[in-house]
Amino acid sequence: MLNPRTDLPLDRDSHGRFLPWIIAFVVFLASLALAGTLFLDSLAAGWERGVSATLSVQIPASGDEADDDRRTDAALIGLRSAPGVVRADLVSAERVAALLEPWLGPATAAGDLPLPRLIDVEIDDDVEVAELTRALQARVPDATIDDHRVWLDRLVRLVRAIELLAGATLALMSAATAGTVVFATRTGLAVHQDVIEVLHLIGAQDAYIARQFARRAQAHAIRGAAVGLALAVPTLGAIGYLATRLEPELLPELSLSPIGWSAFLVLPLAAAAIAAVTARLTVIRSLARMP
Amino acid sequence: MPHEENGRVIEFENVGLRYGLGPEVLQDVTFSLPAGSFHFLVGPSGAGKSSLLRLMYLALKPSRGLITLFGRDIATTPRRALPALRRRIGVVFQDFRLLNHLSAFDNVALPLRVAGNREDDVRKHVIELLSWVGLKDHVGARPPTLSGGQQQKVAIARAVIGRPRLLLADEPTGNIDDKMAFRLMHLFEELNKLGTTVVIATHNEALVARVGHGCLRLDQGHFAAEPGIEGVSGSPAPVGRTAGGTRDRLLRSSAGDAA
Ligand SMILES: Nc1ncnc2c1ncn2[C@@H]1O[C@H](COP(=O)(O)OP(=O)(O)O)[C@@H](O)[C@H]1O
Ligand SMILES: [Mg+2]
């Protein structure tokens, strides 16, 4: 597969030599784009899982401690009896104060300010948040539920946009590879015009000649892709290592699923297929224009 | 499909050929070759012999006129059907046109591989033929390392490996001595006896006179009437004539004959 026998002296062509290097470069970039996409994907999936399972319920301070306690108890009872709620716990005043301290200063810790009550709720995935909100507000009208959705949706939309960009980049790179193959093939056709004429006169179909160009382009692509992938793996390893050292908590573990790994193996195959098909079509189309 | 061909391997009717916008190098060429015949195509240098052969092996399309090959009108034959026709024609090119980057073996194997034959069949036939033409020891040699005579043998082997129905040779005796030339003619006659129609372009009139066979006499792009060449090898004569030329052309062609 790496050194197919051809009737055309294609392996000696200097114009074909740059092809493996261009493909190596493209596959290298494509590997990084793919790794980035897979990483963002698992990141977004992790967020969705984490966030969709929790809610926070806020009960604003009324200035009357007893009333606040009463409304909080009502909310807790209501939540705990609602279907799909796994857990509903009051967040301690100290913790609320600690959460607010960066904004409000040490005064909160001293208990001088009226603090809202926070309830941390864990729910099943299929719970209708709107339903839950209505049920809660029937008991405690001024309670609000923050399901983190709006915030999350924005982030996820951003991630998807970046993924789309990476996809578009991959498509562009594929097109560039195809363009390079078209150029190399056209040059090869011009350089070997004489040999091609002899092959035709001997009775070769266009497809026979196309097959030779396709095999050669495929061999170039596989070789180039192997180099590109070989360079990408240590690069990704280094990036992963640095990332986990810098921000260990922020990042989900960088291990790839089997699907992720096979996506990387698809890259050289895709490069080989693009190269072979492009070369074949280029030859067939060019030769069909001959008399 | 002999019935389709009417016993004629190839027919030209009022064929004219010009290169680009130049003058017609072939004019009103009309002839047909019966299956199994043997012909020389003679005429002075520049008469159009090579051009006529190019039309016959489908390297060129005529500017006008009708060419029928193996019973098929070439003008209406789609491009994808041409390879099958070409595989029934063996050509010994004037300059051999061997592929210099391939071994003698691979050069001779080309017509079989192109036709999709199995590799072990290819191997057997090619080795057999190369031994027969005396190149057993040069199977792996590349053409540039071979002598002119050896290259010619490779070219001939490549032309006949596919058992062509029609064998065309352009000045095959051009750069070899007379003894070799006669041996070569003998080879072509052997092939002819097996049923292959043979056309050999040459300006070596001495050779033609000694070997015999029918003659297609070209001069300045058209056929001169050539009575009395029939039946030398028991094959019918070609239908060769000047078709509808002006008196001027006739004059020119008879002048060519005299030369
Ligand atoms: N490729 C070509 N382009 C233009 N003119 C050509 C070409 N080949 C041959 N000719 C012209 O056609 C005429 C016949 O040439 P050719 O067929 O080679 O004759 P022959 O083989 O009998 O010597 C000559 O005048 C020659 O100059
Ligand atoms: Mg000639």
Side-chain angles (χ1 to χ4, degrees), chain B residues 1-191:
Chain B
M1 25 180 159
H3 55 285
E4 281 178 39
E5 293 162 18
N6 241 341
R8 305 275 159 184
V9 170
I10 192 163
E11 287 175 272
F12 275 48
E13 238 181 276
N14 289 319
V15 168
L17 173 71
R18 61 173 86 240
Y19 289 100
L21 299 172
E24 280 203 318
V25 299
L26 291 173
Q27 298 167 348
D28 302 321
V29 172
T30 299
F31 70 98
S32 68
L33 299 181
S37 61
F38 191 121
H39 293 285
F40 285 107
L41 176 59
V42 295
S45 194
K49 303 183 293 297
S50 297
S51 302
L52 184 57
L53 287 186
R54 274 179 215 134
L55 287 174
M56 292 171 80
Y57 57 71
L58 307 181
L60 291 177
K61 292 226 155 132
S63 320
R64 62 188 172 90
L66 186 71
I67 296 179
T68 312
L69 190 62
F70 303 120
R72 291 192 77 152
D73 174 5
I74 293 310
T76 60
T77 303
R79 187 183 152 76
R80 77 192 132 71
L82 296 180
L85 292 181
R86 286 176 172 139
R87 285 173 199 171
R88 301 163 78 183
I89 307 172
V91 188
V92 184
F93 300 99
Q94 183 159 10
D95 45 1
F96 309 145
R97 303 190 74 168
L98 298 173
L99 307 192
N100 285 336
H101 58 283
L102 295 183
S103 65
F105 178 91
D106 285 332
N107 267 284
V108 176
L110 268 185
L112 298 181
R113 286 184 173 149
V114 151
N117 284 276
R118 286 185 26 230
E119 200 55 29
D120 39 345
D121 288 345
V122 171
R123 190 148 197 94
K124 195 172 122 251
H125 284 114
V126 173
I127 297 287
E128 208 172 270
L129 186 58
L130 280 173
S131 311
W132 191 66
V133 299
L135 287 176
K136 200 182 168 64
D137 301 331
H138 298 88
V139 166
R142 280 159 207 257
T145 68
L146 296 172
S147 72
Q150 289 170 328
Q151 290 186 25
Q152 183 168 48
K153 286 175 176 173
V154 176
I156 291 167
R158 187 180 68 184
V160 304
I161 186 88
R163 299 183 183 283
R165 303 268 320 277
L166 175 63
L167 182 78
L168 307 172
D170 198 354
E171 308 274 4
T173 58
N175 34 12
I176 53 175
D177 58 53
D178 275 6
K179 209 178 114 219
M180 268 294 295
F182 273 98
R183 277 178 47 196
L184 191 57
M185 285 307 133
H186 189 66
L187 169 67
F188 287 147
E189 285 181 313
E190 290 296 309
L191 277 168

Side-chain angles (χ1 to χ4, degrees), chain A residues 84 103 131 138 140 146 178 211 247 258 272-275:
Chain A
W103 285 275
E131 194 96 359
V140 187
D146 179 4
R211 194 152 56 233
E247 293 286 351
I274 289 174

Side-chain angles (χ1 to χ4, degrees), chain A residues 210-229:
Chain A
R211 194 152 56 233
Q212 310 220 351
F213 278 91
R215 276 196 208 140
R216 176 55 53 186
Q218 181 175 310
H220 278 324
I222 290 176
R223 243 178 292 172
V227 171
L229 213 53

Side-chain angles (χ1 to χ4, degrees), chain A residues 40-41 44 47 154-164:
Chain A
L40 284 180
D41 213 42
W47 287 339
R154 276 201 199 147
L155 262 184
V156 168
R157 236 177 288 139
L158 180 68
V159 165
R160 296 283 174 248
I162 294 173
E163 284 176 354
L164 215 64

